[in-house]
């Protein structure tokens, strides 16, 4: 193909050229080199407005390859200067392909222009694999560059101006437009945006699945609003490693790439938590009362008020009453839910069980809390609450009085079993003694007794006890009678129902007169201390356990 000399005034740049950036300083250096040494490599052009008889003859020519050299020559030449050119007849598609090829083979190719060029080739029908092979790149590199076209214009310009690292851009470009604009708002005043900033932002908007409420509560199979388990979801980074390889996700570090869907699923999970207690939750129009669960909104530190209010509206639509914390509740108990101290407070109506809607950096959440109700709380039926408190307090007094009487009875019964020589007698055991001792031992044998009897306190299979008893018949009267005396002489043993029954069973036969005296004193004392309390509870419509009749 011959080189033609074409006047520089007849040559024009192509609007299709993907290269838009030309450094002025570099152009001046090239212009000086061309001035001193001439153009060492001709530019490639194609004729426009050519005639049918001679397709190479035209009044004007469009640059296909060499626009940078053309711009440098324009800085040193007049319109009559003739430029060495290779003239080729090319269609728009062929010319554009040549332009892309030339630009992508440069060493200093701009990443944004590279992304644009790869994207155009992909739109034209070339596969990622074909583009990668053609330009000596990996398929991941080509895919990433094409994805870079998803950046909003403002961020693309920051990449071109080298105000944003390409590594940061490759992370942010995989987010939706809304997330990108929020990223821009947060970082637009920074002089430079590095990869660490993008990674930190990514960690905030993508939720760790293992940290979700349903996963922490062992419900990894929860489908909720998504209709699919997280383990099977395509939005799980553990299932999309080829796209979000920066996260290096596995089952423990996997994250959801859709914050909207994650929060929707979180909302549906919170509603499932509420619905699980539906029978005991206070409904719309019902007063606040102890013993029932109240839904409470606590937005003192609310970072997602819109989401919190939306969840409240959903709860009200299902008929649940939602109480604002405000001046209604005092502080909440810090005890764990399984702590006996908290359970005691609940039983004593010192605190009210609540499902509390809160809002953290990670969004809206629901927590089980137990609040104290302020005595001066507004909008609460204090009379109803106070009645319940009074009934509980009276019931507690009744229980304490009853327990005290029982303890006095046990103490009196224990005196009947004071040590005596008769206990150590080797005389033949009576039938009721044998029944009592064996029944007690089978029910709950103490460690000390097992050690005394068999040389070890560890629990053994029942066959071992049968074998020992069978081979040590000579020790039965002494050991069994001593064990029975020792057990029944303990006041603590009276706190178990079966031990108390054994005491009365044996006392009825060993000392019937003493038993009758203890029982009479107990009944009289019990009635005296509890009757007034029982009458008050009955008048209020409550049982002695503090429950509404």
């Amino acid at each position: 193909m011959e080189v033609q000399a074409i006047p520089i005034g007849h040559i024009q740049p192509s609007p299709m050229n993907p290269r838009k950036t030309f450094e002025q300083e570099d152009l001046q250096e090239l212009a000086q080199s061309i001035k001193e040494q001439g153009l060492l490599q001709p530019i490639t052009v194609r004729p426009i407005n050519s005639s049918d008889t001679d397709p190479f003859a035209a009044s004007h020519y469009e640059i296909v390859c060499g626009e940078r050299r053309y711009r440098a020559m324009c800085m040193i030449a007049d319109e009559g200067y003739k430029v060495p050119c290779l003239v080729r007849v090319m269609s728009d598609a062929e010319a554009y392909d040549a332009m892309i090829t030339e630009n992508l083979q440069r060493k200093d190719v701009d990443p944004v222009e590279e992304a644009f060029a790869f994207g155009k080739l992909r739109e034209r029908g070339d596969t990622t694999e074909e583009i990668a092979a053609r330009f000596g790149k990996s398929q991941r590199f080509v895919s990433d560059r094409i994805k870079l076209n998803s950046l909003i214009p403002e961020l693309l310009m920051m990449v071109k101006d080298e105000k944003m690292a390409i590594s940061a851009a490759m992370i942010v470009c995989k987010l939706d437009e809304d997330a990108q604009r929020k990223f821009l708002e947060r970082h637009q005043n920074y002089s430079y945006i590095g990869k660490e900033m993008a990674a930190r932002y990514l960690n905030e908007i993508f939720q760790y699945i293992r940290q979700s409420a349903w996963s922490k509560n062992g419900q990894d199979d929860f489908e909720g609003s998504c209709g699919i388990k997280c383990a099977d979801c395509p939005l799980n980074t553990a299932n999309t490693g080829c796209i979000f390889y920066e996260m290096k996700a596995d089952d423990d570090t996997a994250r959801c790439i859709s914050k909207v869907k994650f929060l929707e699923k979180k909302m549906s999970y919170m509603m499932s938590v509420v619905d699980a207690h539906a029978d005991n939750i206070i409904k719309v129009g019902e007063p606040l009362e102890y013993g029932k669960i109240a839904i409470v909104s606590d937005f003192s530190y609310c970072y997602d008020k819109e989401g919190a209010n939306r969840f409240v509206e959903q709860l009200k639509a299902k008929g649940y009453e939602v109480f604002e914390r405000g001046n209604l509740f005092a502080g909440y108990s810090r005890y764990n839910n399984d702590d006996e101290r908290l359970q005691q407070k609940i039983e004593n109506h010192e605190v009210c069980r609540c499902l509390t809607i809160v809002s953290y950096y990670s969004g809206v959440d629901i927590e089980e809390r137990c609040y104290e109700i302020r005595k001066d709380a507004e909008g609460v039926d204090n009379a109803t609450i106070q009645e319940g408190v009074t009934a509980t307090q009276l019931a507690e007094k009744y229980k304490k009085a009853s327990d005290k009487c029982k303890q006095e009875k046990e103490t009196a019964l224990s005196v009947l079993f004071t040590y005596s020589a008769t206990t150590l007698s080797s005389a033949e055991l009576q039938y009721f003694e044998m029944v009592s001792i064996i029944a007690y031992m089978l029910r709950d044998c103490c460690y000390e007794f097992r050690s005394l009897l068999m040389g070890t306190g560890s629990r053994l299979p029942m066959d071992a006890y049968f074998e020992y008893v069978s081979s040590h018949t000579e020790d039965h009267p002494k050991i069994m009678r001593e064990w029975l005396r020792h057990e029944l002489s303990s006041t603590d043993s009276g706190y178990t129902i079966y031990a108390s029954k054994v005491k009365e069973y044996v006392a009825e036969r060993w000392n019937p007169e003493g038993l009758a005296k203890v029982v009479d004193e107990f009944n009289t004392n019990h009635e005296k201390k509890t009757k007034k309390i029982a009458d008050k509870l009955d008048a209020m419509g409550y049982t002695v356990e503090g429950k509404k009749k």
Side-chain angles (χ1 to χ4, degrees), residues 14 68 149 188 200 331 339 361 371 429 469 486 500:
S14 172
R68 178 171 172 271
N149 291 314
Q188 60 185 347
R200 187 161 53 246
D339 195 305
Y361 283 114
Y371 287 97
L429 286 173
V469 171
H486 174 74
S500 182

mmCIF file of all heavy atoms in Angstrom, residues 14 68 149 188 200 331 339 361 371 429 469 486 500:
data_model
loop_
_atom_site.group_PDB
_atom_site.id
_atom_site.type_symbol
_atom_site.label_atom_id
_atom_site.label_comp_id
_atom_site.label_asym_id
_atom_site.label_seq_id
_atom_site.Cartn_x
_atom_site.Cartn_y
_atom_site.Cartn_z
ATOM 1 N N SER A 14 -11.654 11.606 13.718
ATOM 2 C CA SER A 14 -12.920 10.869 13.671
ATOM 3 C C SER A 14 -13.666 11.025 14.993
ATOM 4 O O SER A 14 -13.082 10.851 16.069
ATOM 5 C CB SER A 14 -12.667 9.389 13.401
ATOM 6 O OG SER A 14 -13.868 8.652 13.536
ATOM 7 N N ARG A 68 -2.929 11.321 17.485
ATOM 8 C CA ARG A 68 -1.962 12.017 18.329
ATOM 9 C C ARG A 68 -0.865 12.647 17.462
ATOM 10 O O ARG A 68 -0.479 13.801 17.678
ATOM 11 C CB ARG A 68 -1.361 11.020 19.342
ATOM 12 C CG ARG A 68 -0.307 11.621 20.260
ATOM 13 C CD ARG A 68 0.048 10.626 21.354
ATOM 14 N NE ARG A 68 1.186 11.077 22.143
ATOM 15 C CZ ARG A 68 2.450 10.814 21.855
ATOM 16 N NH1 ARG A 68 2.756 10.081 20.776
ATOM 17 N NH2 ARG A 68 3.432 11.267 22.626
ATOM 18 N N ASN A 149 -17.702 0.537 33.273
ATOM 19 C CA ASN A 149 -18.638 1.427 32.583
ATOM 20 C C ASN A 149 -19.894 1.691 33.402
ATOM 21 O O ASN A 149 -20.674 2.596 33.085
ATOM 22 C CB ASN A 149 -19.038 0.827 31.228
ATOM 23 C CG ASN A 149 -17.888 0.814 30.241
ATOM 24 O OD1 ASN A 149 -17.184 1.804 30.085
ATOM 25 N ND2 ASN A 149 -17.673 -0.317 29.578
ATOM 26 N N GLN A 188 -16.582 12.879 48.179
ATOM 27 C CA GLN A 188 -16.277 13.819 47.104
ATOM 28 C C GLN A 188 -15.300 14.927 47.509
ATOM 29 O O GLN A 188 -14.644 15.528 46.658
ATOM 30 C CB GLN A 188 -17.565 14.446 46.577
ATOM 31 C CG GLN A 188 -18.358 15.223 47.607
ATOM 32 C CD GLN A 188 -19.681 15.704 47.040
ATOM 33 O OE1 GLN A 188 -19.903 15.660 45.826
ATOM 34 N NE2 GLN A 188 -20.572 16.170 47.913
ATOM 35 N N ARG A 200 -14.024 -0.262 52.926
ATOM 36 C CA ARG A 200 -14.711 0.065 54.177
ATOM 37 C C ARG A 200 -16.187 0.376 53.910
ATOM 38 O O ARG A 200 -17.077 -0.043 54.670
ATOM 39 C CB ARG A 200 -14.010 1.240 54.850
ATOM 40 C CG ARG A 200 -14.525 1.567 56.227
ATOM 41 C CD ARG A 200 -13.544 2.405 57.037
ATOM 42 N NE ARG A 200 -13.123 3.592 56.313
ATOM 43 C CZ ARG A 200 -11.892 3.800 55.886
ATOM 44 N NH1 ARG A 200 -10.951 2.893 56.080
ATOM 45 N NH2 ARG A 200 -11.566 4.919 55.250
ATOM 46 N N GLY A 331 -35.638 2.397 83.288
ATOM 47 C CA GLY A 331 -34.574 1.594 82.684
ATOM 48 C C GLY A 331 -34.972 0.134 82.550
ATOM 49 O O GLY A 331 -35.912 -0.343 83.189
ATOM 50 N N ASP A 339 -31.514 -15.723 83.155
ATOM 51 C CA ASP A 339 -31.028 -15.466 84.508
ATOM 52 C C ASP A 339 -32.183 -15.621 85.506
ATOM 53 O O ASP A 339 -33.255 -15.048 85.321
ATOM 54 C CB ASP A 339 -30.445 -14.049 84.596
ATOM 55 C CG ASP A 339 -29.613 -13.843 85.854
ATOM 56 O OD1 ASP A 339 -30.149 -14.085 86.955
ATOM 57 O OD2 ASP A 339 -28.443 -13.443 85.724
ATOM 58 N N TYR A 361 -26.652 1.303 63.695
ATOM 59 C CA TYR A 361 -26.013 1.606 62.421
ATOM 60 C C TYR A 361 -26.416 0.587 61.363
ATOM 61 O O TYR A 361 -26.550 0.899 60.193
ATOM 62 C CB TYR A 361 -24.490 1.600 62.563
ATOM 63 C CG TYR A 361 -23.937 2.841 63.222
ATOM 64 C CD1 TYR A 361 -23.330 2.772 64.468
ATOM 65 C CD2 TYR A 361 -24.030 4.083 62.599
ATOM 66 C CE1 TYR A 361 -22.824 3.915 65.080
ATOM 67 C CE2 TYR A 361 -23.531 5.231 63.209
ATOM 68 C CZ TYR A 361 -22.924 5.132 64.445
ATOM 69 O OH TYR A 361 -22.430 6.252 65.039
ATOM 70 N N TYR A 371 -38.634 -3.974 81.075
ATOM 71 C CA TYR A 371 -38.620 -2.608 81.588
ATOM 72 C C TYR A 371 -39.386 -2.504 82.904
ATOM 73 O O TYR A 371 -40.346 -3.256 83.142
ATOM 74 C CB TYR A 371 -39.280 -1.646 80.596
ATOM 75 C CG TYR A 371 -38.479 -1.347 79.361
ATOM 76 C CD1 TYR A 371 -38.710 -2.044 78.181
ATOM 77 C CD2 TYR A 371 -37.511 -0.350 79.359
ATOM 78 C CE1 TYR A 371 -37.986 -1.758 77.031
ATOM 79 C CE2 TYR A 371 -36.784 -0.051 78.221
ATOM 80 C CZ TYR A 371 -37.026 -0.759 77.064
ATOM 81 O OH TYR A 371 -36.313 -0.473 75.935
ATOM 82 N N LEU A 429 -35.525 -55.792 111.003
ATOM 83 C CA LEU A 429 -36.276 -54.633 110.539
ATOM 84 C C LEU A 429 -37.746 -54.980 110.360
ATOM 85 O O LEU A 429 -38.087 -56.075 109.910
ATOM 86 C CB LEU A 429 -35.735 -54.134 109.195
ATOM 87 C CG LEU A 429 -34.407 -53.382 109.227
ATOM 88 C CD1 LEU A 429 -33.938 -53.119 107.788
ATOM 89 C CD2 LEU A 429 -34.552 -52.068 109.964
ATOM 90 N N VAL A 469 -26.393 -55.377 97.499
ATOM 91 C CA VAL A 469 -27.385 -55.658 98.535
ATOM 92 C C VAL A 469 -27.508 -57.161 98.748
ATOM 93 O O VAL A 469 -27.621 -57.650 99.882
ATOM 94 C CB VAL A 469 -28.746 -55.045 98.155
ATOM 95 C CG1 VAL A 469 -29.845 -55.523 99.108
ATOM 96 C CG2 VAL A 469 -28.655 -53.527 98.179
ATOM 97 N N HIS A 486 -30.365 -40.579 109.523
ATOM 98 C CA HIS A 486 -29.540 -39.426 109.131
ATOM 99 C C HIS A 486 -30.284 -38.525 108.138
ATOM 100 O O HIS A 486 -30.272 -37.295 108.256
ATOM 101 C CB HIS A 486 -28.239 -39.932 108.509
ATOM 102 C CG HIS A 486 -27.377 -38.834 107.939
ATOM 103 N ND1 HIS A 486 -26.649 -37.971 108.730
ATOM 104 C CD2 HIS A 486 -27.159 -38.443 106.661
ATOM 105 C CE1 HIS A 486 -26.001 -37.113 107.969
ATOM 106 N NE2 HIS A 486 -26.301 -37.370 106.705
ATOM 107 N N SER A 500 -40.487 -35.215 102.664
ATOM 108 C CA SER A 500 -41.474 -34.853 103.682
ATOM 109 C C SER A 500 -42.476 -35.985 103.886
ATOM 110 O O SER A 500 -42.868 -36.291 105.014
ATOM 111 C CB SER A 500 -42.200 -33.577 103.252
ATOM 112 O OG SER A 500 -43.129 -33.182 104.235
#
